[in-house]
């Protein structure tokens, strides 16, 4: 067998090395050095000793707008996004998680220009977060690929172009907007001020057809995203456990060391309501794990005596504490540890998280304020409108810029109005609104609005239904507001002040108030008229809406109130009048449903459930703490002793149905008159989550009513609502309203009472007149 010789063979002493030997030895030493260097310096990873996260590709497609969104756009069935000069087109909004890094970004546009446009005067402008990042010119040859696109009865060629986006320009919340720039010299024929105006038939007059461009349905933004590890910092909360940039539902596991006690469950409820308060559109769920850590981010509840086995090596707690830890087995996951020496410390730590998270920082925080939060007053939820005074529009938005719009037919100014469902508005004149507007003068005499036959106007809509339309006058008649909040507006905007009434019967617990501005036609702009891009309007932040003066009164049970706003539990935003009842040993699904319901209530009120009480089965025989309280029960009837003992109260609700998988029951508390009980129950604990699935369906929720909701409904429907055989009321009415309101529901009885009152009055009048006549005649009274 032949022997191989080492490339680094020694040279005998005294013997001179040949040049090739020196070169070979030098190369050997260099290779050895590189090898040692490669072993000492590992390849960079997301975290030391952990493999880098794999990249993911995300595609965000454009929201499709029907062509009829703009006046005169033609077919309403077009799936394309139609752009017109000066019209505000729907932007593409997309967001990034705090633990995501974009390595590559691009936008693919499939577009078509209207035939007959001038290539030298027409192009698309692409804006990312308000900055122009690219322009797409109209092809000069006017020809395109074989695929054709129809718009407004005309045929246009589709073209596709990829636009690279700078990843460093992306933020947490991003907006990509497209604008059509066409016929830039449309006003070139307008003379200088004081000069005679040219004829309308001038060669420089704009074309009769308004220019347009369509963005096809396959246009999208493509992102290459990599996950990264965030530092262990409480100052980042609620991220990464709940990232507000996420779109869609959120699942955040809650981990307990063993079967949780009442106090631990209360701490979990406070934490869940806090997460729900911060995620109004996420509808979070909280899967429950006992003594095991799930994959991904999780919230862990632990004390010195009871903690998950995976965290047994942590040092003991010296008081209420909050910590952010690395997940022991997941490279990029974090654990939010809520702990303390005992259960009471744990509840104080949860309350500190819910009320003081804005002042937290670092990987660990010790809670030094054991005092409970002060109780909330009835109907003072931060997310609800004020009922004790008029409310400024500036208080209804997060940013005053939300009250401002721009363009010929801009998107509406939208205001969210949340009301308690028991706000009694019977026979009310309406809700007064003191509206103050600022807007660009809609046109001079004989301007575009007059020629098009369409006046500039603003329309008030409640929940999508038009209530009132007001004309925007060029003179600003109707008064002028004295204050302007937004510095962007200038003297080119007219003022108008209006007072109107919103019909009270059009309001529910969740409402959207829209002001839709329309400056009329802009296709044929005359000299001196504002171009569409310069048309602006705003609603003064000092405009006011007044819900004060209405009493609180509701006919119960009404499970629609519970489904939409958590009523009556949310009357007090901190749930200070609520007791949650669970089985003695609650199943994970039962705890999960309770936590999800509390998160929905936190989203409704905008405040965590800091004064919630929780009682399991062994304490439900103590009726004292349950009196004068609203009760929320979660579990199967066999596992809830108190619900089982009240079977004569709720079984009549189910007289028509005996086959169902899950149900929500509402009835008056047998312990305290005019107090409510809502029981979320099912045949098995696993079926309870069907109730959460139902509450996540907006269309189905607003159809719920009565004292029982059964799932699944008849003939495959989502749910059946069953009226309660016996009702009760909450709240108080003024004396005369309390007399007339019940009678208003019985018109026949009201008519008979009116006839009887007339007869009694006539008889009394006859007796009076008869007595007077006898006295004049000197006839003694009988």
């Amino acid at each position: 067998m032949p022997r191989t010789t080492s490339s680094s063979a020694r040279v005998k002493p005294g013997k001179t090395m040949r040049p090739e030997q020196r070169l070979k030895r030098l190369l050997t030493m260099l290779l050895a050095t590189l090898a040692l260097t490669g072993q000492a310096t590992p390849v960079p990873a997301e975290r030391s000793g952990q493999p880098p996260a794999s990249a993911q590709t995300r595609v965000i497609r454009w929201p499709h707008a029907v062509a009829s969104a703009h006046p005169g756009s033609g077919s309403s069935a077009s799936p394309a996004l139609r752009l017109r000069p000066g019209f505000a087109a729907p932007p593409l909004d997309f967001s990034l998680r705090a633990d995501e890094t974009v390595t590559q970004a691009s936008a693919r546009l499939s577009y078509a220009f209207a035939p007959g446009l001038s290539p030298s005067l027409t192009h698309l402008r692409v804006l990312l977060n308000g900055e122009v990042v690219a322009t797409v010119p109209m092809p000069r040859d006017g020809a395109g690929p074989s695929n054709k696109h129809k718009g407004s009865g005309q045929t246009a060629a589709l073209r596709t172009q990829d636009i690279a986006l700078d990843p460093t320009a992306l933020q947490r919340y991003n907006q990509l907007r497209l604008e059509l720039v066409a016929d830039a010299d449309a006003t070139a024929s307008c003379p200088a001020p004081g000069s005679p105006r040219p004829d309308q038939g001038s060669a420089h007059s704009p074309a009769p057809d308004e220019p347009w461009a369509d963005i096809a349905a396959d246009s999208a933004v493509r992102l290459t995203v990599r996950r990264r590890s965030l530092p262990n910092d409480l100052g980042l909360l609620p991220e990464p456990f709940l990232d507000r940039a996420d779109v869609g539902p959120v699942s955040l596991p809650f981990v307990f060391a063993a079967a949780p006690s009442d106090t631990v469950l209360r701490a979990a409820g406070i934490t869940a309501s806090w997460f729900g308060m911060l995620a109004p559109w996420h509808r979070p769920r909280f899967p429950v794990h006992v003594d095991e850590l799930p994959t991904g981010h999780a919230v862990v509840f632990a004390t010195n005596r009871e903690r998950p086995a995976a965290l047994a090596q942590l040092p003991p707690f010296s008081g209420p504490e909050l910590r952010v830890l690395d997940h022991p087995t997941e490279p990029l996951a974090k654990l939010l540890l809520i702990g303390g020496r005992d259960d009471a410390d744990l509840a104080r730590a949860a309350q500190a998280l819910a009320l003081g998270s804005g002042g937290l920082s670092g990987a660990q925080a010790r809670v030094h304020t054991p005092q409970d939060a002060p109780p909330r007053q009835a109907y003072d939820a931060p997310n609800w409108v004020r009922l004790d005074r008029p409310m400024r529009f500036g208080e209804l938005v997060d940013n005053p810029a939300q009250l401002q719009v721009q363009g010929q037919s801009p998107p509406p100014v939208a205001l969210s109005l949340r009301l308690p469902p028991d706000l009694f508005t019977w026979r009310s004149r309406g809700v007064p609104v003191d509206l103050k507007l600022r807007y660009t003068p809609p046109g001079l005499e004989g301007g575009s609005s007059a020629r098009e036959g369409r006046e500039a106007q603003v329309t008030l809509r409640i929940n999508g239904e038009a209530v009132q339309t007001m004309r925007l006058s060029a003179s600003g008649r109707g008064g002028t507001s004295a204050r302007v909040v937004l510095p962007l507006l200038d003297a080119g905007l007219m003022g108008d002040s209006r007072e109107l009434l919103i019909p009270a019967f059009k309001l529910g617990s969740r409402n959207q108030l829209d002001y839709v501005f329309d400056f009329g036609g802009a296709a044929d702009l005359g000299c001196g008229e504002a171009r569409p891009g310069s048309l602006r309007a705003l609603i003064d932040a000092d405009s006011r809406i007044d819900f004060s003066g209405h009493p609180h009164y509701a006919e119960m049970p009404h499970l629609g109130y519970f489904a939409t706003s958590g009523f009556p539990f949310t009357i007090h935003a901190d749930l200070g009048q609520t007791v949650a009842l669970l089985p003695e040993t609650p199943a994970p699904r039962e705890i999960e449903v309770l936590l999800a319901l509390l998160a929905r209530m936190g989203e409704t009120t905008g405040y965590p459930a800091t004064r919630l009480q929780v009682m399991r089965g062994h304490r439900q025989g103590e009726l004292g703490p349950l009196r004068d309280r609203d009760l929320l029960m979660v579990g199967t009837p066999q596992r809830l002793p108190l619900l089982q003992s009240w079977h004569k109260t709720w079984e009549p609700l189910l007289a028509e149905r005996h086959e169902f998988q899950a149900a929500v029951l509402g009835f008056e508390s047998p312990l305290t008159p005019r107090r409510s009980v809502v029981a979320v129950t099912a045949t098995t604990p696993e079926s309870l989550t069907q109730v959460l699935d139902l509450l996540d369906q907006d269309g189905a929720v607003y159809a719920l009513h009565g004292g029982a909701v059964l799932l699944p409904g008849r003939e495959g429907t989502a749910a059946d609502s069953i009226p309660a055989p016996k009702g009760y009321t909450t709240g108080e009415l003024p004396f005369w309203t309390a007399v007339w309101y019940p009678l208003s529901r019985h018109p026949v009885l009201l008519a008979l009472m009116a006839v009887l009152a007339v007869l009694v009055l006539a008889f009394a009048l006859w007796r009076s007149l008869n007595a007077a006549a006898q006295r004049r005649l000197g006839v003694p009274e009988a």
Side-chain angles (χ1 to χ4, degrees):
M1 181 175 182
R3 240 186 341 183
T4 58
T5 59
S6 174
S7 60
S8 58
R10 292 185 180 180
V11 180
K12 292 182 180 181
K15 189 173 181 179
T16 304
M17 289 187 296
R18 295 191 297 270
E20 58 270 18
Q21 289 178 322
R22 290 196 186 96
L23 180 60
K24 186 182 294 185
R25 187 173 182 180
L26 181 61
L27 290 176
T28 302
M29 294 175 62
L30 180 59
L31 291 175
T33 302
L34 290 176
L36 290 173
T37 304
Q39 293 175 3
T41 307
V43 177
E46 296 291 338
R47 258 200 334 250
S48 178
Q50 297 173 350
S54 59
Q56 298 178 347
T57 300
R58 184 180 305 163
V59 178
I60 306 103
R61 300 202 176 275
W62 232 274
H64 297 164
V66 294
S68 61
H70 305 304
S73 59
S75 173
S76 61
S78 173
L81 175 67
R82 173 144 297 183
L83 305 178
R84 291 183 181 275
F87 287 95
L92 178 63
D93 296 311
F94 60 98
S95 55
L96 301 172
R97 288 178 53 92
D99 56 357
E100 289 180 337
T101 300
V102 178
T103 60
Q104 189 175 3
S106 63
R108 167 163 291 192
L109 299 181
S110 294
Y111 57 93
F113 290 98
L117 296 180
S118 171
S120 61
L121 302 176
T122 307
H123 66 271
L124 293 177
R125 186 161 51 189
V126 183
L127 299 94
L128 178 62
N129 299 327
E131 300 291 335
V132 178
V133 295
T135 57
V136 180
M138 179 179 179
R140 292 189 174 275
D141 54 8
S146 58
N147 53 333
K148 299 291 183 179
H149 168 72
K150 288 188 176 182
S152 300
Q154 296 173 304
T155 302
L158 270 178
R159 291 179 176 269
T160 300
Q161 181 168 336
D162 290 326
I163 301 172
L165 303 178
D166 183 6
T168 61
L170 297 178
Q171 307 168 4
R172 290 293 308 281
Y173 301 95
N174 302 277
Q175 186 178 86
L176 192 70
R177 183 180 295 276
L178 300 179
E179 294 180 356
L180 174 61
V181 179
D183 292 341
D185 63 345
T187 59
S189 60
C190 291
S195 301
R197 180 169 173 161
D199 297 335
Q200 295 296 326
S202 169
H204 296 284
S205 299
D209 293 333
E210 185 178 358
W212 54 263
D214 281 350
I215 306 300
D218 58 346
S219 301
V221 169
R222 184 180 298 270
L223 304 176
T224 302
V225 179
R226 292 186 65 176
R227 298 291 295 272
R228 61 187 179 91
S229 178
L230 293 178
N232 295 336
D233 188 359
L234 292 166
L236 298 177
L237 290 176
E239 297 157 347
F241 306 97
L242 187 149
D243 199 306
R244 282 171 281 195
D246 271 335
V247 178
V250 171
S251 179
L252 178 62
F254 275 24
V255 182
F256 302 94
S261 65
D262 294 353
T263 306
V264 174
L265 289 172
R266 175 174 175 265
I270 294 173
T271 306
S273 65
W274 176 69
F275 277 114
M277 176 186 72
L278 299 177
W281 56 88
H282 287 98
R283 295 167 177 166
R285 301 275 186 97
F286 306 95
V288 173
H289 297 260
V290 178
D291 201 27
E292 63 175 2
L293 294 181
T295 59
H297 305 303
V299 180
V300 183
F301 299 87
T303 63
N304 286 341
R305 297 184 59 182
E306 294 182 348
R307 62 178 63 186
L311 304 179
Q313 302 303 319
L314 287 178
F317 299 102
S318 57
E321 290 187 17
L322 300 169
R323 302 179 187 175
V324 176
L325 311 172
D326 292 332
H327 195 293
T329 59
E330 292 286 325
L332 302 179
K334 302 291 182 180
L335 300 178
L336 174 59
L337 181 61
I338 302 175
R341 296 164 298 182
D342 51 25
D343 294 352
D345 277 356
L346 196 147
R348 286 195 291 269
Q351 180 171 295
L353 172 69
L355 297 178
S357 60
L360 298 175
S361 63
Q364 179 178 350
R366 172 81 180 275
V367 177
H368 297 285
T369 55
Q371 294 84 6
D372 290 335
R376 304 282 302 195
Q377 300 300 314
Y379 303 105
D380 71 343
N383 281 355
W384 290 0
V385 299
R386 296 293 298 265
L387 304 176
D388 57 343
R389 60 168 175 81
M391 197 169 187
R392 298 174 58 252
F393 278 26
E395 300 176 77
L396 300 174
V397 294
D398 298 326
N399 189 336
Q402 295 175 243
L403 299 175
Q404 174 183 291
V405 291
Q406 180 176 353
Q408 188 75 21
S409 293
V413 176
L415 302 173
S416 176
L417 300 175
R418 292 197 178 186
L419 306 171
D422 65 342
L423 195 67
F424 190 76
T425 58
W426 181 68
R427 298 190 65 181
S428 170
R429 292 181 58 245
V431 179
V433 178
D434 181 14
L435 180 64
K436 300 177 182 179
L437 305 175
R438 289 288 188 273
Y439 51 88
T440 304
L444 303 177
E445 184 69 23
S448 64
S449 296
R451 289 193 303 271
E452 295 279 333
R454 295 172 50 236
E455 294 183 338
Q457 61 190 17
V458 57
T459 301
L460 167 64
R461 297 190 311 204
I462 292 291
N463 300 326
E465 182 177 350
V467 174
Q468 185 172 354
T469 298
M470 298 169 289
R471 178 175 176 267
L472 298 179
S473 62
S475 62
R477 290 190 301 271
T480 302
S481 177
R483 278 171 283 184
V484 178
V485 176
L486 300 181
L488 175 62
L489 302 178
D490 53 28
L493 300 175
M494 305 301 296
D496 205 351
S497 179
R498 311 287 180 108
E499 184 175 354
L500 53 94
L501 292 174
I502 298 175
F505 65 89
K506 295 184 180 297
L507 296 171
S509 58
R510 296 181 180 230
N511 309 276
Q512 179 163 311
L513 180 65
D514 293 331
Y515 287 95
V516 185
F517 289 87
D518 186 355
F519 285 94
D524 187 13
L525 293 173
C527 297
E529 297 183 33
R531 294 199 57 81
S534 65
L535 298 175
R536 291 175 290 172
L538 77 73
I539 297 177
D540 196 328
D542 199 41
S543 300
R544 297 172 187 270
I545 186 169
D546 189 1
F547 286 94
S548 61
H550 297 282
H552 294 278
Y553 179 83
E555 296 179 349
M556 304 288 284
H558 195 309
L559 290 176
Y561 296 162
F562 170 75
T564 56
S565 60
F567 185 86
F569 307 106
T570 51
I571 290 178
H572 292 81
D574 56 5
L575 303 192
Q577 301 292 312
T578 299
V579 179
L581 304 178
L582 289 170
E584 172 65 26
T585 306
R589 286 295 178 88
E590 292 169 333
I591 301 176
E592 176 185 349
V593 170
L594 174 63
L595 297 178
L597 293 176
L598 294 175
R600 293 179 65 89
M601 295 180 192
E603 182 269 334
T604 296
T605 62
Y607 194 83
T610 54
R611 302 184 73 85
L612 169 74
Q613 300 178 52
V614 179
M615 293 178 61
R616 290 176 299 150
H618 70 286
R619 293 187 55 202
Q620 293 176 20
E622 306 171 10
L623 300 182
L626 304 181
R627 299 186 187 277
D628 200 27
R629 292 291 185 271
D630 296 309
L631 308 180
L632 175 61
M633 297 182 169
V634 178
T636 61
Q638 298 78 12
R639 291 162 50 82
L640 290 170
L642 196 58
L643 182 61
Q644 189 66 25
S645 66
W646 292 341
H647 65 93
K648 293 183 179 180
T649 303
W650 54 268
E651 280 184 348
L653 297 170
L654 309 179
E656 299 181 5
R657 291 284 305 275
H658 299 284
E659 296 181 1
F660 59 90
Q661 297 178 3
V664 183
L665 309 175
F667 52 91
E668 186 177 17
S669 173
L671 302 177
T672 308
R674 307 180 75 178
R675 285 289 187 174
S676 300
V677 177
V678 174
V680 179
T681 185
T683 54
T684 62
E686 289 71 22
S687 300
L688 285 170
T689 53
Q690 293 186 22
V691 175
L692 300 181
D693 297 336
L694 174 67
L695 296 181
D696 287 344
Q697 303 174 26
D698 292 334
V701 162
Y702 286 99
L704 301 181
H705 62 275
V709 174
L710 307 182
L711 296 86
R714 290 187 179 91
E715 299 178 358
T717 58
D720 282 342
S721 295
I722 300 176
K726 180 182 178 181
Y728 62 100
T729 62
T730 62
E732 300 288 345
L733 290 177
F735 175 76
W736 287 112
T737 304
V739 172
W740 287 108
Y741 178 64
L743 292 177
S744 67
R745 299 191 169 187
H746 304 281
V748 176
L749 178 61
L750 190 61
L752 293 177
M753 291 181 62
V755 172
L756 180 61
V758 171
L759 293 176
V760 170
L761 181 62
F763 179 75
L765 183 60
W766 175 78
R767 287 294 303 268
S768 172
L769 295 175
N770 187 48
Q774 290 179 352
R775 283 194 300 270
R776 287 197 304 270
L777 296 175
V779 179
E781 294 184 6

